[in-house]
């Protein structure tokens, strides 16, 4: 599905009908413009609603952090940040920011101030190019068409945004702070895929502390390549993110389902999606559990539950 209609001019943009009626929305992105006139993208599966900034009632923060304040949105308390400030662009006068992206991911509510909104677009995972080496606050670069012009679009790293905003996340998820009561020494393996380097490093430390043998990959295609060369009896568990380049989690799971000899392997999805229809679709595909990203305690408990 491709959305080419411009979204500028709305007083409030309620994405509910656009997002939640399509379970394939993991490939849909909201495109918006930064103060540097570059365009950025955020996966709509993490977005609850878009509001006009002028209507937001906010208790402002007086310290020097990137947190601008706190607001109540949809009966939820949300932390408000300025996207340009976090991304280290020029910060414009407050009157230049038209919208707030209300996002719910990683178990946190976040309001992101943005200059304006362009439109929704589908970006195929195969067209995403890794850009994390050039800017640690980005995941990928993709080419999109904007106002009949081809533009490069930056897909920023939402995991990094969460970590930079809520510093307690890093401390909470230090593997050394987790109470690992049960280790799982076994020759059987776990296959894990996630595009975030932070998540991969943290999960690697978790596997080591649990005493399990794990193979960690940057995307679904790499995991699938390993799986096709592995005896089913050797695989204890598969864990995957959804939003990844080359092959996303949905297509990975569908590919595994097409392989009859892997029917009995448990699959856990580790994601920051807030789209409940997409989560329901994952369960229908045979996923055993969907858990929030950047929650190593929840991931540890899921591994213990489904490791076989």
């Amino acid at each position: 599905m491709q959305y080419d209609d411009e979204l500028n001019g709305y007083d409030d943009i309620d994405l509910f009908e656009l997002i939640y009626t399509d379970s394939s929305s993991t490939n849909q992105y909201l495109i918006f413009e930064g103060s540097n006139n570059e365009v950025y993208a955020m996966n709509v599966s993490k977005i609850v609603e878009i509001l006009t900034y002028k209507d937001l009632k906010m208790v402002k923060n007086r310290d020097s952090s990137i947190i601008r304040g706190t607001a109540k949105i949809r009966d939820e308390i949300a932390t408000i940040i300025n996207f340009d400030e976090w991304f280290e662009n020029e910060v414009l006068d407050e009157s230049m920011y038209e919208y707030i992206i209300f996002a719910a991911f990683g178990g946190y509510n976040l309001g992101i101030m943005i200059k304006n909104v362009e439109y929704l677009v589908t970006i195929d995972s195969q067209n995403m190019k890794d850009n994390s080496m050039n800017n640690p606050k980005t995941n990928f670069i993709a080419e999109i068409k904007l106002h009949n012009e081809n533009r490069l679009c930056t897909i920023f790293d939402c995991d990094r945004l969460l970590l930079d905003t809520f510093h307690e996340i890093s401390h909470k998820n230090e593997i050394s702070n987790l109470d690992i009561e049960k280790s799982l020494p076994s020759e059987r393996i776990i296959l894990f895929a996630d595009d975030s380097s932070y998540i991969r490093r943290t999960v690697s430390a978790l596997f080591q502390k649990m005493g399990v043998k794990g193979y960690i990959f940057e995307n679904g295609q790499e995991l699938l390549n390993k799986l096709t060369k592995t005896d089913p009896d050797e695989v204890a568990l598969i864990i995957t993110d959804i939003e990844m380049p080359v092959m996303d989690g949905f297509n990975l799971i569908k590919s595994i389902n097409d392989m009859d000899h892997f029917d009995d392997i448990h699959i856990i999805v580790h994601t920051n999606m807030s789209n409940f229809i997409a989560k329901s679709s994952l369960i229908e595909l045979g996923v055993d559990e969907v858990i929030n990203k950047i929650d190593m305690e929840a991931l540890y408990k899921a591994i213990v539950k489904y490791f076989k």
Side-chain angles (χ1 to χ4, degrees):
M1 182 180 296
Q2 178 89 20
Y3 295 98
D4 291 323
D5 293 334
E6 294 177 30
L7 299 177
N8 288 321
Y10 283 68
D11 289 332
D12 286 314
I13 302 170
D14 188 346
L15 296 179
F16 186 87
E17 291 298 329
L18 293 177
I19 296 170
Y20 294 99
T21 54
D22 186 359
S23 62
S24 66
S25 63
T26 53
N27 287 332
Q28 293 174 27
Y29 289 80
L30 179 75
I31 307 299
F32 62 92
E33 189 178 49
S35 64
N36 55 358
N37 297 320
E38 298 295 330
V39 287
Y40 300 89
M42 181 175 183
N43 195 296
V44 298
S45 67
K46 299 178 176 70
I47 300 173
V48 177
E49 191 174 359
I50 299 177
L51 309 168
T52 51
Y53 178 58
K54 64 181 175 60
D55 294 333
L56 190 72
K57 294 178 175 62
M58 178 172 63
V59 177
K60 295 190 176 181
N61 184 31
R62 296 181 179 273
D63 66 24
S64 59
S65 73
I66 65 171
I67 296 175
R68 287 298 186 92
T70 306
K72 189 175 183 180
I73 305 176
R74 281 189 171 226
D75 295 325
E76 300 287 348
I77 300 300
T79 298
I80 309 300
I81 69 157
N82 181 298
F83 176 82
D84 284 324
E85 188 171 13
W86 170 71
F87 205 75
E88 300 181 21
N89 294 334
E90 176 188 1
V91 178
L92 304 175
D93 183 83
E94 197 166 288
S95 63
M96 299 292 291
Y97 293 97
E98 293 189 53
Y99 294 109
I100 290 282
I101 298 173
F102 178 35
F105 55 102
Y108 293 83
N109 296 318
L110 194 60
I112 306 169
M113 296 170 54
I114 57 172
K115 178 181 171 184
N116 64 11
V117 173
E118 293 292 349
Y119 64 109
L120 294 174
V121 64
T122 298
I123 303 177
D124 193 291
S125 59
Q126 294 183 344
N127 296 329
M128 298 176 183
K129 306 300 180 186
D130 189 352
N131 194 52
S132 58
M133 295 296 291
N134 298 319
N135 185 335
K137 294 186 177 182
T138 72
N139 277 340
F140 318 113
I141 293 288
E143 188 175 60
I144 65 169
K145 187 174 287 293
L146 180 62
H147 307 310
N148 295 317
E149 177 186 355
N150 289 333
R151 296 281 302 275
L152 287 179
C153 175
T154 297
I155 302 172
F156 66 93
D157 188 343
C158 287
D159 295 338
R160 184 76 259 162
L161 177 59
L162 274 182
L163 291 166
D164 289 346
T165 304
F166 303 103
H167 298 296
E168 71 272 15
I169 295 177
S170 294
H171 177 74
K172 176 184 175 182
N173 288 286
E174 283 289 338
I175 301 305
S176 59
N177 295 330
L178 291 184
D179 184 14
I180 305 293
E181 297 179 355
K182 180 179 180 181
S183 63
L184 302 169
S186 171
E187 290 303 312
R188 306 190 73 211
I189 63 175
I190 299 176
L191 304 182
F192 181 93
D194 197 293
D195 61 287
S196 167
S197 58
Y198 168 80
I199 296 295
R200 292 197 302 272
R201 288 194 305 271
T202 306
V203 169
S204 178
L206 176 64
F207 286 171
Q208 185 174 5
K209 187 166 184 177
M210 292 183 69
V212 299
K213 185 177 181 181
Y215 291 86
I216 297 178
F217 309 95
E218 296 184 10
N219 60 66
Q221 186 63 61
E222 291 182 358
L223 189 154
L224 187 63
N225 291 344
K226 173 66 177 178
L227 186 64
T228 58
K229 301 174 184 176
T230 304
D231 187 322
D233 292 335
E234 295 180 24
V235 182
L237 183 62
I238 293 172
I239 309 171
T240 181
D241 188 14
I242 290 297
E243 184 187 2
M244 296 182 290
V246 187
M247 177 182 282
D248 62 28
F250 260 111
N251 285 309
L252 170 62
I253 294 164
K254 289 175 182 177
S255 296
I256 295 171
N257 286 345
D258 289 339
M259 303 163 67
D260 293 338
H261 47 301
F262 287 105
D263 285 346
D264 296 330
I265 293 178
H266 291 295
I267 300 176
I268 297 171
V269 169
H270 188 228
T271 181
N272 277 334
M273 292 189 311
S274 62
N275 184 333
F276 64 86
I277 286 186
K279 289 182 178 180
S280 297
S281 298
L282 289 168
I283 300 301
E284 290 176 3
L285 284 174
V287 168
D288 293 281
E289 192 164 341
V290 181
I291 60 175
N292 280 336
K293 237 186 191 187
I294 321 186
D295 189 340
M296 290 301 114
E297 182 176 6
L299 181 59
Y300 158 67
K301 290 178 179 178
I303 292 171
V304 172
K305 180 178 180 181
Y306 293 106
F307 192 95
K308 67 181 187 71

